[in-house]
Amino acid sequence: MCEPPTVIGQFHTLFFGSIRMFFLGVLGFAVYGNEALHFSCDPDKREVNLFCYNQFRPITPQVFWALQLVIVLVPGAIFHLYAACKSIKQEDILQKSSYTGFYIFSVFLRIVLEVVAFWLQIQLFGFKVNAIYMCDVEALDKKFNITRCMVPEHFEKTIFLIAMYTFTVITVILCVAEIFEISCRRLGFLKTQ
């Protein structure tokens, strides 16, 4: 039991496993890898820069998306582990109702986790990265309360955010399509592989 029982599931594995991880690993590092080093505020003092950067990014996008990938992979991994322990063959998944139900549940759980991650991403990062971030430095007991900070490569970060939102939407669509494909196969509208 190495691959999903549906064509859409196999495409999802390819899309999710290859393209999305490559995009995050290679391009994500290029866009976000040195963000904290180049984040500068006025006055340009280390303590102000660090304080404001932590306010600007409570969690870095790279860490958030890596956690998202791992968490979304868990339901499928649990199903495949179960299938391997029970020696379930790929063709049996769509034949036996209990296996089909468990598999659909794992796909549905992936959808729920992706939607939650999508919502969290909106709450944490929004849809646009502005060039200027106004930081509240009152907690540092400075003479000033608000300072301006420059966000490096804000336009590239906005494009990357939109791309990651797009990946999440595509993943949800693929999961819904996979449930639809399984339902059609079980109802006899599609022939089994």
Side-chain angles (χ1 to χ4, degrees):
M1 176 61 204
C2 294
E3 56 188 40
T6 64
V7 174
I8 294 173
Q10 293 168 8
F11 179 75
H12 173 263
T13 301
L14 172 69
F15 175 79
F16 188 82
S18 302
I19 299 169
R20 196 172 181 184
M21 286 184 183
F22 172 79
F23 193 83
L24 177 59
V26 175
L27 297 178
F29 182 75
V31 173
Y32 287 98
N34 58 3
E35 183 180 45
L37 294 174
H38 298 290
F39 187 86
S40 62
C41 301
D42 183 29
D44 190 15
K45 296 190 179 210
R46 181 165 168 72
E47 70 179 86
V48 174
N49 289 345
L50 286 173
F51 181 83
C52 290
Y53 181 75
N54 288 334
Q55 195 178 100
F56 175 66
R57 292 270 190 243
I59 183 172
T60 63
Q62 289 170 294
V63 170
F64 176 82
W65 291 319
L67 286 171
Q68 177 185 0
L69 289 173
V70 169
I71 289 169
V72 170
L73 285 174
V74 167
I78 290 172
F79 176 80
H80 289 311
L81 182 63
Y82 171 79
C85 288
K86 295 283 188 179
S87 299
I88 300 171
K89 295 178 183 158
Q90 182 180 1
E91 52 274 0
D92 290 343
I93 294 171
L94 297 179
Q95 301 301 323
K96 294 187 179 179
S97 295
S98 60
Y99 299 157
T100 303
F102 188 24
Y103 186 76
I104 288 175
F105 178 73
S106 75
V107 175
F108 180 74
L109 195 53
R110 266 189 286 171
I111 293 170
V112 170
L113 292 171
E114 285 284 9
V115 169
V116 168
F118 189 83
W119 179 81
L120 280 172
Q121 184 177 343
I122 291 169
Q123 300 304 309
L124 289 169
F125 311 123
F127 287 98
K128 181 181 180 193
V129 178
N130 295 316
I132 304 291
Y133 175 72
M134 300 306 286
C135 177
D136 181 4
V137 291
E138 189 174 1
L140 291 176
D141 294 328
K142 297 292 179 184
K143 296 176 185 172
F144 47 89
N145 291 339
I146 304 291
T147 187
R148 293 169 41 108
C149 300
M150 300 293 292
V151 180
E153 300 154 346
H154 65 280
F155 186 69
E156 290 176 9
K157 289 176 175 62
T158 298
I159 291 170
F160 201 85
L161 273 175
I162 292 168
M164 293 307 287
Y165 284 125
T166 304
F167 284 140
T168 300
V169 169
I170 289 170
T171 301
V172 169
I173 290 169
L174 288 172
C175 289
V176 170
E178 185 172 15
I179 290 173
F180 182 74
E181 180 185 352
I182 291 169
S183 300
C184 288
R185 287 189 189 285
R186 292 285 297 174
L187 294 172
F189 295 124
L190 294 172
K191 293 181 180 179
T192 57
Q193 293 173 314

